[in-house]
């Protein structure tokens, strides 16, 4: 095999393909790996040894083969198990990492080219280009100049030549201070060398005026050398040459009087100017030229010239160069300003010269112009008012103030010489001062006041001339009439102060308040700020509740507050009856709402519920705590008030038994039952029963209260023994019923009374009074009754409950209602009642039908006379029946009472100015016993009073219905349902 490999070496193409066939059988056992060619680090010189290795990534084992190719031709093949074939001039080493080959003596023809390692015929390494170098033995100068060459005066040429042949082309470099110089021409010759090797020449030419890269002025040492990849090989000439480089000029600075000129060069027309062009160091000396505009005006470092008008605004500069005429440096190029001195200044306004007095308005901007003659440069113009500088430039824009009044105003100008100043005329200012501003006291964007307080707000003007007029505005409405103005003069100026007296109201919340002021001739008034009025006021408290609530249900009361600031404190709810506080209850409070829920309500929960709120602001009522009340009516069966269960009377005397009760709705049935024989009492000539309005006592949550209610009355005109005993009172309304048992007992006093019967019928009480006591006593009795009635009506009332829809008591007290009219039920707590539910309202302006006034002789009565609130006689007819409200006759022909009977027209009855009937009285028969006069009032409830015998009683007040309905008369009667 090795011989075959040697023969294949002789035939490269056959050898190459043969090796591919030989190594193809190794493919089946190939394991994925790579191969890398590694060369020696030394330079491959001709005749030296050189190593090339083929390194595998996986172990080199078995029959796998590695081959080395040069320029595509196999040079050697190796097998891991047997090593490499023998080739003369090479040595090989094989191990598991690869093949290591050494070329013993490099020859350009045999070894130079592209080398590559191949593993099993299809895995190639990286290529390596082997160049076999031939080194010269040295390098030397062949053309030597003088010792030192000055490039500012001449150019320089140097030449170096290799000693011996060289391959490939060497890189000959010229060096100074370890810096490469690139201006080199390199040639070669093959004298005495092989076809591939040559002798090389390098020529360095340095032109005159050449400069170093850094343009420094120095002498440098030049030498030549050959660079090779191997830094250890250093071939350098043994001689050096000295060269001094030129220095290029790099700047030119324009100066006057040793001062640099950078921007504008100011000169005067006709005056000589000397300028200098300062350049930096240069070798050789630079050439300097001067230019004004595009015209050359001189050469050399100094320029002397006389400016003309044509030179104005032209640029002036110098330029310089030395080593290269194409490399020119320029100075800055300032412009010439050829000055022409200003000679006049004229003060103008609106293109008109100002000569004497100038009238201006304070606060109104105004412009003045200062017109100067022809000059250059533009003059510096300053403006003065009095001694104060107020501006610069040809135009003065300023706003006159009062301080400018009577001051002079002028402009001054100069240009070429600040010591030569030209002044305009100096007129005086006459300043008219408008109102520039007005201020409010107190200031601020929001004015906060307490409701109801009277506040003085001041409006103060700025100083003005003449006197101003101040106006006040509230949300666009003028309120100047609420103010007064005071004007003060200070140094011919006026300051006006107007004070507005404003009573703060809640409706002013959020409105804008401001004042304005102006003087005569001022078009636009000066306005103050427009602060908003913030009214702090105590809360308005509103309470809502269902006014009629059934026993056992839940009542919810809602209390809302609206005030400013809206920071509310809700206090416990107060439950009151009249002015009596029953209890305090805690509500559920939110930001502006307090709610109170009462569950399973009873009659004790009725009354006024007061919500108390505060926001720390005292209200118009002088209180911090504000209240809102609501009434809670509880619907349920009648409730018996505080009373006694045992009542007494005297035989043969009248007796009135009153049982107090409260009912939220009309009583449908009223019964008195005598328990001894279960007899239901009916109206007779001796006994009658009815209902009267009255203030009654109740116990609410352990507190005694008086509320408007009623009394169920059973009246005995002449008590008999049979009338004593136990009774049951039954009251029924639309919600239920209530019963009460009471005893009527004798007081132990027996009075024998003889009742006289007048002929033809019962004798009227008024006749008795007239025949026995006399007319004077009758008048006194009427006055007493009027006082009694009035005092009874002044008993304590519970607020709101007087509008109880059951009965409406007249202003004359608990007596029978006069001229009762039917009116629709009023709305209660915002709820509309059933319009069929009506209640009686007394029309005092209408006389009761069927009644006749007392007239005629004492002791006489007219047929048909009706007397009110007096006991019925034992015998009676329909013509002289006595009225008792609240029940109907059980039997038409009996002596029971009819309500408001239709009788003959009233005649002879005492009336007041409002045509109201006075109550009739029944007095006990006179006796011969001399006692103090005693008047027995109706129901034995008369309160005693001192009687002024010489005075007449006041007429009864007008009823509300007359006021509301314009005096309309309604004679309908509310009828009380009773048990017949």
């Amino acid at each position: 095999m090795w011989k075959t490999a040697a023969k294949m070496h002789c035939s490269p193409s056959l050898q190459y393909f043969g090796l591919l066939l030989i190594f193809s059988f190794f493919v089946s056992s190939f394991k994925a790996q790579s191969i890398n060619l590694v060369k020696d680090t030394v330079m491959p010189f001709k005749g030296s040894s050189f190593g090339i290795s083929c390194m595998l990534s996986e172990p080199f084992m078995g029959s796998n083969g590695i081959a080395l190719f040069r320029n595509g031709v196999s040079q050697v093949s190796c097998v891991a198990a047997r090593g490499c074939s023998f080739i003369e001039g090479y040595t090989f080493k094989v191990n598991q990492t690869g093949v290591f080959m050494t070329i013993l003596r490099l020859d350009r023809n045999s070894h130079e080219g592209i080398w590559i390692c191949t593993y099993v015929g299809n895995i190639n390494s990286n290529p390596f280009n082997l160049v076999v170098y031939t080194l010269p033995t040295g390098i030397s100068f062949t053309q030597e100049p003088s010792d030192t060459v000055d490039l500012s005066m001449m150019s320089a040429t140097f030449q170096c030549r290799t000693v011996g042949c060289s391959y490939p082309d060497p890189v000959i470099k010229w060096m100074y201070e370890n810096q490469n110089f690139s201006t080199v021409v390199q040639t070669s010759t093959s004298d005495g060398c092989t076809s591939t090797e040559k002798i090389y020449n390098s020529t360095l030419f340095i032109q005159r005026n050449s400069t170093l890269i850094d343009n420094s002025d120095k002498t440098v040492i030049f030498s030549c050398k050959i660079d090779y990849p191997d830094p250890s090989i250093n071939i350098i000439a043994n001689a050096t040459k000295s060269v001094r480089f030129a220095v290029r000029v790099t700047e030119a600075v324009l100066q006057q009087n040793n001062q640099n000129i950078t921007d504008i060069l100011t000169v005067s027309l006709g005056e000589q100017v000397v300028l200098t062009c300062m350049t930096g160091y240069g070798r050789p000396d630079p050439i300097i030229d001067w230019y004004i505009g595009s015209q050359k005006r001189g050469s050399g470092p100094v320029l002397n010239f006389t400016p003309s008008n044509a030179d104005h605004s032209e640029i002036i500069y110098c330029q310089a160069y030395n080593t290269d005429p194409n490399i020119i440096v320029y100075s800055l190029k300032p412009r010439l300003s050829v000055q022409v001195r200003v000679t006049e200044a004229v003060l103008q306004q609106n293109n008109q010269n100002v000569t004497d007095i100038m009238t201006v308005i304070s606060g109104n901007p105004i412009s003045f112009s200062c017109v100067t003659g022809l000059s250059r440069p533009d003059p510096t113009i300053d403006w003065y008012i009095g001694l104060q500088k107020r501006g610069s430039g040809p135009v003065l824009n300023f706003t006159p103030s009062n301080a400018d009044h009577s001051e002079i105003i002028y402009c001054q100008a100069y240009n070429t010489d600040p010591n030569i100043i030209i002044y305009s005329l100096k007129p005086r200012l006459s300043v008219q001062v408008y109102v520039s501003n007005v201020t409010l006291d107190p200031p601020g964007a929001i004015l906060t006041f307490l409701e109801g307080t009277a506040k003085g707000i001041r409006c103060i003007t700025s100083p003005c001339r003449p006197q101003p007029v101040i106006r006040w505005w509230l949300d666009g409405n003028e309120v100047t009439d609420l103010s007064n103005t005071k004007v003060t003069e200070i140094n011919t100026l006026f300051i006006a102060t107007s004070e507005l007296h404003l009573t703060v109201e809640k409706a002013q919340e959020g409105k804008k308040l401001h004042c304005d002021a102006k003087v005569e001739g001022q078009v636009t008034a000066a306005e103050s700020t427009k602060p908003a009025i913030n009214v702090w006021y105590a809360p308005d408290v509103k309470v809502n509740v269902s006014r009629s609530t059934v026993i056992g249900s839940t009542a919810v009361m809602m209390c809302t507050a609206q005030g400013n600031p809206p920071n509310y404190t809700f206090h416990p709810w107060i439950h009151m009856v009249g002015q009596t506080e029953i209890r305090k209850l805690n509500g559920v409070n939110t930001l502006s709402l307090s709610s109170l829920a009462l569950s399973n309500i009873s009659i004790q929960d009725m009354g006024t519920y007061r919500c108390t709120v505060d926001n720390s602001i005292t209200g118009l009522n002088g209180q911090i705590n504000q209240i809102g009340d609501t009434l809670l009516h509880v619907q349920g069966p009648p409730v018996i008030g505080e009373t006694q269960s045992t009542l007494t009377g005297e035989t043969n005397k009248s007796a009135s038994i009153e049982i107090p009760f409260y009912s939220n709705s009309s009583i449908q049935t009223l019964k008195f039952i005598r328990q001894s024989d279960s007899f239901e009492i009916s109206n007779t000539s001796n006994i009658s029963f009815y209902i009267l309005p009255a203030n009654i006592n109740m116990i609410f949550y352990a507190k005694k209260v008086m509320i408007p209610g009623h009394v169920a009355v059973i009246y005995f005109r002449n008590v008999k023994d049979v009338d004593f005993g136990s009774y049951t009172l039954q009251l029924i309304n639309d919600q239920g019923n209530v019963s009460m048992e009471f005893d009527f007992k004798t007081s132990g006093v027996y009075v024998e009374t003889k009742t006289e019967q007048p002929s033809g019928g019962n004798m009227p009480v008024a006749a008795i009074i007239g025949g026995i006591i006399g007319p004077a006593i009758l008048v006194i009795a009427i006055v007493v009754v009027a006082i009694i009635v009035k005092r009874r009506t002044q008993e304590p009332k519970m607020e709101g409950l007087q509008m109880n829809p059951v009965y409406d008591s007249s202003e004359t007290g608990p007596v029978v209602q006069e001229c009762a009219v039917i009116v629709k039920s009023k709305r209660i707590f915002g709820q509309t009642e059933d319009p069929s539910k009506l209640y009686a309202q007394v029309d005092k302006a209408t006389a009761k039908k069927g009644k006749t006034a007392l007239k005629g002789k004492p002791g006489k009565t007219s047929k048909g006379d009706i007397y009110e609130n007096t006991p019925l006689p034992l015998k009676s007819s329909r013509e002289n029946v006595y009225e008792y409200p609240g029940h109907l006759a059980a039997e038409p022909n009996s002596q029971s009472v009819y309500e408001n009977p239709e009788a003959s027209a009233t005649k002879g009855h005492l009336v007041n100015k409002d045509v109201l009937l006075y109550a009739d009285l029944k007095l006990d028969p006179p006796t011969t016993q001399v006692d103090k006069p005693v008047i027995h009032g109706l129901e034995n409830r008369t309160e005693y009073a001192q009687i002024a015998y010489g005075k007449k009683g006041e007429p009864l007040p007008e009823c509300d219905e007359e006021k509301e309905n314009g005096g309309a008369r309604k004679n309908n009667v509310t009828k009380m349902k009773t048990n017949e």
Side-chain angles (χ1 to χ4, degrees), residues 125-136:
S125 69
N126 53 300
F128 163 61
N129 183 25
L130 177 60
V131 177
V132 179
Y133 286 85
T134 299
L135 296 180

Side-chain angles (χ1 to χ4, degrees), residues 50 102 159 210 255 334 356 369 405 602 604 648 669 678 803 840 853 887 941 946 959:
F50 190 79
T102 301
Q159 190 176 76
S210 295
Q255 288 186 344
D356 192 6
S369 300
H405 183 65
S602 67
Q604 297 184 78
T648 61
T669 301
S678 300
M803 299 305 297
H887 26 104
R941 294 180 60 189
Q946 298 294 328
C959 63

Side-chain angles (χ1 to χ4, degrees), residues 602-785:
S602 67
I603 198 69
Q604 297 184 78
D605 294 310
M606 65 180 289
T608 300
Y609 284 83
R610 174 164 293 174
C611 175
T612 306
V613 190
D614 80 85
N615 62 348
S616 301
I617 301 300
T618 302
L620 296 179
N621 58 3
Q623 303 296 319
I624 291 181
N625 291 339
Q626 303 300 310
I627 62 174
D629 291 347
T630 187
L631 286 174
L632 177 62
H633 292 280
V634 179
Q635 290 184 343
V639 180
I640 302 299
E642 187 178 37
T643 186
Q644 297 178 353
S645 60
T646 301
L647 302 169
T648 61
E650 298 178 13
T651 306
N652 297 327
K653 278 194 174 185
S654 64
S656 178
I657 298 174
E658 300 177 359
I659 306 299
F661 72 92
Y662 173 80
S663 176
N664 187 260
S665 58
S666 301
I667 295 297
Q668 298 173 347
T669 301
L670 168 64
K671 293 181 180 180
F672 284 95
I673 300 173
R674 191 166 55 208
Q675 294 181 7
S676 60
D677 54 3
S678 300
F679 176 73
E680 181 179 336
I681 304 299
S682 61
N683 286 311
T684 66
S685 60
N686 187 52
I687 301 175
S688 61
F689 58 91
Y690 47 88
I691 294 175
L692 292 177
N695 292 315
I696 65 174
N697 290 323
M698 300 283 286
I699 301 298
F700 284 2
Y701 292 99
K703 290 192 177 181
K704 184 176 181 180
V705 296
M706 179 178 288
I707 65 173
H710 297 82
V711 289
V713 180
I714 181 169
Y715 181 73
F716 300 91
R717 292 171 181 79
N718 194 1
V719 178
K720 306 298 180 181
D721 290 337
V722 70
D723 296 327
F724 294 111
S726 297
Y727 289 83
T728 298
L729 166 65
Q730 289 186 356
L731 294 169
I732 302 174
N733 64 9
D734 58 359
Q735 299 292 322
N737 64 85
V738 66
S739 297
M740 175 187 172
E741 295 182 354
F742 62 93
D743 295 329
F744 181 41
K745 296 183 178 181
T746 180
S747 60
V749 178
Y750 180 80
V751 179
E752 178 107 20
T753 302
K754 182 177 181 180
T755 303
E756 296 183 4
Q757 301 292 338
S759 61
N762 295 330
M763 185 176 220
V765 176
I768 297 174
I769 295 175
I772 301 176
I773 302 177
I777 299 300
L778 175 62
V779 173
I780 294 172
I782 293 173
V783 172
V784 170
V785 171

Side-chain angles (χ1 to χ4, degrees), residues 827-885:
R827 294 182 62 189
I828 300 177
F829 283 76
Q831 297 179 358
T832 303
E833 292 286 330
D834 185 349
S836 65
K837 294 183 179 179
L838 305 178
Y839 61 92
Q841 186 170 7
V842 176
D843 185 350
K844 303 178 185 65
T846 304
K848 179 185 287 281
K849 292 182 179 180
K851 289 189 177 181
T852 58
L854 295 175
K855 64 180 179 178
K857 295 181 179 180
K860 300 290 184 180
T861 59
S862 300
K863 185 177 181 180
D865 290 350
I866 299 176
Y867 299 92
E868 183 178 17
N869 298 337
T870 58
L872 287 174
L874 295 177
K875 295 182 180 179
S876 178
S877 65
R878 290 179 61 89
E879 284 75 20
N880 59 3
V881 70
Y882 291 84
E883 180 186 0
Y884 285 86

